[in-house]
Amino acid sequence: MNMRKAVAAGSATLSYQGKSYELPTYAGTEGPHVLDIRKLYGEADVFTYDPGFTSTASCESDITFIDGERGVLLYRGYSIDDLAEHSNFLEVCYLLLYGKLPDRAQMDCFDKSITRHTMVHEQLASFFHGFRRDAHPMAIMCGVVGALSAFYHDSTDINDPRQREIASHRLIAKIPTIAAMAYKYSMGQPFVYPLNNLGYTENFLRMTFAVPAEDYKVNPVLAKALDTIFTLHADHEQNASTSTVRLAGSSGANPFACIAAGIACLWGPAHGGANEAALKMLEEIGTTGRIPEYIKRAKDPNDNFRLMGFGHRVYKNYDPRAKAMQAQAHAVFDELGIHDEPLLKVALELERIALQDDYFVSKKLYPNIDFYSGITLRALGFPTSMFTALFALARTVGWIAQWMEMIEDPDQKIGRPRQLYTGAKRRDYLPIEAR
Ligand code: SDX
């Protein structure tokens, strides 16, 4: 069977019910090799079992590499620390989409294309008015992003590379406008149109916080911090929402519908909803004096309380994004002159205590990206309900890049996992009188 780029690395032998089966193994450029089990069911009439897919490679990918043990995250080979320090979100979008850093001409062309797609169809604004004003922004984002497929019939032919590219640029360009509109709608304020003379993140801040009654000046320090936060959230290998986008895309669904599916999955508190949950947890703890009580609850197997923003399916070391997020938190608090933010003190002390506690150390539970993002986004002026919408804004480019890679993979086919059936054996139907 074909592989896109992976190279043969020998084979493994499986002995099962008295027979031996050779399973080819393949190596990528980084990370664990894979055992190719594609023929196993046909040859041995047996499934592999891996609920949650914790030991399963669902695809080959060139986009993002994570080493959970070493706390490494690379976008197309560039470390997240380098990109957070030296790059910007729109350049990272180009990198994730096209696989390399742009030269000046390529960046200018990309920037112009994105800028010219930031407005949404006026009819799309009508979709917001069907929601209650207190609708969660993620509910609105799911609905409105899915509705984009009704507006762009010229870019839903996923087999046309140019239409795929137009759709990807439209999604990257319009997701900030839609997120800002969701916020404005919840505030009862008028929508603010994008301005083409502003950068990507500056434009988003202005669409979110400007009001017609007065001029709005973007704070460049805060804009840079938010831009870096978007970079940190841009992609993350085959996480739950990215796998959702790939599975939806594998059926041939249009890109707007696929991204709407990713938004729905990201909303969960175990995934993208953790930043909102982590801030609520810090607010509930309130003071450093109450931390031991919550540490005790988090360790209690009979209490389903978990330290939100702690632990990760892949990182069994410090999430490299959490360090960069902490740095952005300090940059924002310094710029705003918030030196005694009580929740930052609670977060720092909670992290200090947890990382000395054997329960967290033995289970390799470290702060993840969501631990510091909540207090930073709140300081930037966003309500808690917008935190996951901001995560979705940033992750849209990662979803699109992964979707494009899947569509362009000649071996891709519709995703269709099997199961281990433990239900009733065949039984005869009984009329109701006989039951
Ligand atoms: C994101 O996949 C991605 O890449 C996601 C993401 C991305 O960029 O796309 O990184 C974004 O989703 C970050 C994670 C945000 N979620 C949270 O912060 C929620 C809190 N974290 C946990 O729910 C949990 O850590 C998960 C869901 C993130 C990971 O779960 P796992 O890998 O399935 O780990 P587990 O649930 O098997 O936990 C292992 C042990 C368990 O104890 P035992 O059963 O072994 O006794 O650790 C315990 C868990 O009870 N544990 C925690 C804990 N997380 C796990 N105990 C207390 N507090 C926690 N946060």
Side-chain angles (χ1 to χ4, degrees), residues 66 236 239-241 269-272 274 298 305-313 316 319 321 359-360 363 365 368-370 391 395:
I66 301 172
H236 212 237
N239 59 83
S241 53
H271 188 14
F305 171 78
R306 287 191 167 182
L307 286 187
M308 301 315 283
F310 257 75
H312 197 275
R313 173 57 57 79
K316 301 308 174 189
D319 181 338
R321 303 169 299 174
Y359 173 90
F360 297 94
K363 292 178 187 294
L365 300 174
N368 59 50
I369 189 166
D370 295 302
F391 194 152
R395 186 54 58 88

Side-chain angles (χ1 to χ4, degrees), residues 54-371:
T54 48
S55 300
T56 294
S58 61
C59 63
E60 275 189 81
S61 181
D62 304 350
I63 300 172
T64 293
F65 175 70
I66 301 172
D67 183 323
E69 293 305 323
R70 293 190 294 130
V72 170
L73 169 58
L74 308 177
Y75 289 166
R76 301 283 190 179
Y78 295 94
S79 84
I80 195 66
D81 302 321
D82 283 351
L83 294 170
E85 185 178 348
H86 303 297
S87 186
N88 61 70
F89 181 64
L90 205 56
E91 183 177 75
V92 166
C93 288
Y94 185 99
L95 173 66
L96 289 169
L97 276 184
Y98 297 105
K100 63 183 181 63
L101 289 172
D103 60 26
R104 173 56 57 199
Q106 290 164 331
M107 190 63 223
D108 291 348
C109 179
F110 182 65
D111 190 328
K112 187 176 175 188
S113 173
I114 297 299
T115 300
R116 299 188 65 79
H117 282 93
T118 47
M119 286 179 70
V120 294
H121 194 292
E122 278 298 300
Q123 286 303 106
L124 199 78
S126 312
F127 282 85
F128 288 81
H129 296 290
F131 289 100
R132 287 175 23 168
R133 290 282 178 175
D134 62 353
H136 195 288
M138 287 298 277
I140 295 176
M141 297 268 286
C142 282
V144 173
V145 171
L148 285 174
S149 47
F151 287 79
Y152 297 113
H153 297 295
D154 67 337
S155 61
T156 52
D157 174 4
I158 60 167
N159 300 308
D160 176 349
R162 181 61 191 135
Q163 288 192 36
R164 291 201 297 268
E165 185 176 44
I166 294 170
S168 65
H169 287 200
R170 277 184 166 138
L171 278 158
I172 292 165
K174 295 181 194 308
I175 200 78
T177 309
I178 292 168
M181 290 170 80
Y183 171 73
K184 282 307 197 188
Y185 187 72
S186 72
M187 298 294 286
Q189 292 179 355
F191 298 141
V192 175
Y193 288 96
L195 284 182
N196 289 354
N197 63 355
L198 290 179
Y200 187 90
T201 304
E202 291 82 356
N203 221 346
F204 170 67
L205 281 170
R206 182 179 168 281
M207 289 188 284
T208 303
F209 294 121
V211 289
E214 59 187 28
D215 289 341
Y216 177 83
K217 188 167 172 10
V218 177
N219 177 320
V221 174
L222 302 185
K224 174 60 185 156
L226 184 59
D227 192 83
T228 304
I229 290 169
F230 287 162
T231 290
L232 297 175
H233 287 80
D235 193 49
H236 212 237
E237 198 212 63
Q238 304 311 318
N239 59 83
S241 53
T242 298
S243 299
T244 300
V245 170
R246 278 182 172 258
L247 197 56
S250 73
S251 75
N254 74 71
F256 305 101
C258 294
I259 299 305
I263 293 171
C265 177
L266 186 73
W267 196 359
H271 188 14
N275 52 19
E276 184 174 346
L279 182 75
K280 286 178 178 167
M281 175 190 73
L282 292 173
E283 286 171 334
E284 185 183 330
I285 294 172
T287 61
T288 52
R290 296 187 65 198
I291 289 174
E293 169 196 340
Y294 283 85
I295 294 274
K296 184 166 179 287
R297 284 189 58 197
K299 293 159 64 173
D300 179 355
N302 301 314
D303 187 333
N304 62 12
F305 171 78
R306 287 191 167 182
L307 286 187
M308 301 315 283
F310 257 75
H312 197 275
R313 173 57 57 79
V314 175
Y315 288 123
K316 301 308 174 189
N317 195 325
Y318 209 99
D319 181 338
R321 303 169 299 174
K323 283 195 184 77
M325 263 313 309
Q326 193 187 109
Q328 295 313 315
H330 286 297
V332 167
F333 292 134
D334 290 349
E335 173 65 15
L336 294 172
I338 306 175
H339 299 297
D340 57 353
E341 159 61 59
L343 292 186
L344 179 61
K345 286 190 179 126
V346 173
L348 289 169
E349 181 63 3
L350 178 58
E351 174 187 346
R352 187 188 69 78
I353 295 174
L355 296 189
Q356 292 174 345
D357 186 301
D358 183 55
Y359 173 90
F360 297 94
V361 174
S362 63
K363 292 178 187 294
K364 298 185 178 181
L365 300 174
Y366 294 87
N368 59 50
I369 189 166
D370 295 302
F371 189 64

